[in-house]
Amino acid sequence: GDSVTQMEGPVTLSEEAFLTINCTYTATGYPSLFWYVQYPGEGLQLLLKATKADDKGSNKGFEATYRKETTSFHLEKGSVQVSDSAVYFCALIRNVLTGGGNKLTFGTGTQLKVEL
Amino acid sequence: GAVVSQHPSRVICKSGTSVKIECRSLDFQATTMFWYRQFPKQSLMLMATSNEGSKATYEQGVEKDKFLINHASLTLSTLTVTSAHPEDSSFYICSARDLTDEGYEQYFGPGTRLTVT
């Protein structure tokens, strides 16, 4: 079945440091890939997504590129802020454009802590 | 973006009682909603898929008689935890699916923290 593997956290960085959170996936066909962010005590928010190979999703300074050859979707940010402290989830879904029972498969989440 | 609300945000109940959690899509109609359960420091586990006007589809291992789901309208789905026990204590998150120009997109509620004493 489909699966998503993320690096274990917590990841602790100083403000303005470079961030990489690794994500690899296993899925049949051509899934769409997502990064969600969960701030403390809140639900998930979509951070960015990519729907086909070589697409780059970006939002709020975060980027991730859909790499089919390595089945990866690593999340990066050039300069993190304290306000980026949260849990980040990588996820995939197949056949998103047709909907109909397709389900998100989530990774286990990676906690990011950014310190001054 | 689209907004999904949940109520209540926190609830404490005694063992053996039932608790109802509401999930509403505030500015769009959702024919499909999802209920997830999240354990501390773990990922989201899909419990069931709720389709408006029909019975929910439960994931393997989820007791349908314990976790009652009703999706009576295009903007409201409810999850009722019946005869709750301490092991049901968890963070429950709902999600509603909307059809956008780019295809289906899921929006998540803020979650409900259930504590069973």
Side-chain angles (χ1 to χ4, degrees), chain A residues 32-103:
Chain A
S32 292
L33 303 174
F34 305 82
W35 276 101
Y36 285 87
V37 58
Q38 184 180 31
Y39 297 101
E42 299 182 13
L44 275 68
Q45 300 174 28
L46 178 64
L47 181 59
L48 54 84
K49 67 179 180 182
T51 57
K52 60 183 186 295
D54 299 324
D55 268 2
K56 177 186 284 188
S58 61
N59 185 26
K60 300 181 181 179
F62 291 89
E63 292 182 340
T65 301
Y66 189 143
R67 302 285 188 201
K68 187 162 178 61
E69 64 276 13
T70 54
T71 61
S72 65
F73 194 54
H74 305 321
L75 182 68
E76 297 182 335
K77 186 174 185 181
S79 176
V80 293
Q81 305 298 311
V82 173
S83 57
D84 293 327
S85 298
V87 180
Y88 292 81
F89 291 92
C90 186
L92 70 81
I93 194 169
R94 282 188 283 132
N95 298 323
V96 64
L97 290 180
T98 58
N102 294 294
K103 308 165 192 173

Side-chain angles (χ1 to χ4, degrees), chain B residues 75-96:
Chain B
T75 59
L76 173 64
S77 176
T78 60
L79 168 66
T80 301
V81 183
T82 63
S83 187
H85 289 94
E87 57 265 30
D88 299 324
S89 298
S90 193
F91 194 53
Y92 292 88
I93 300 175
C94 76
S95 174

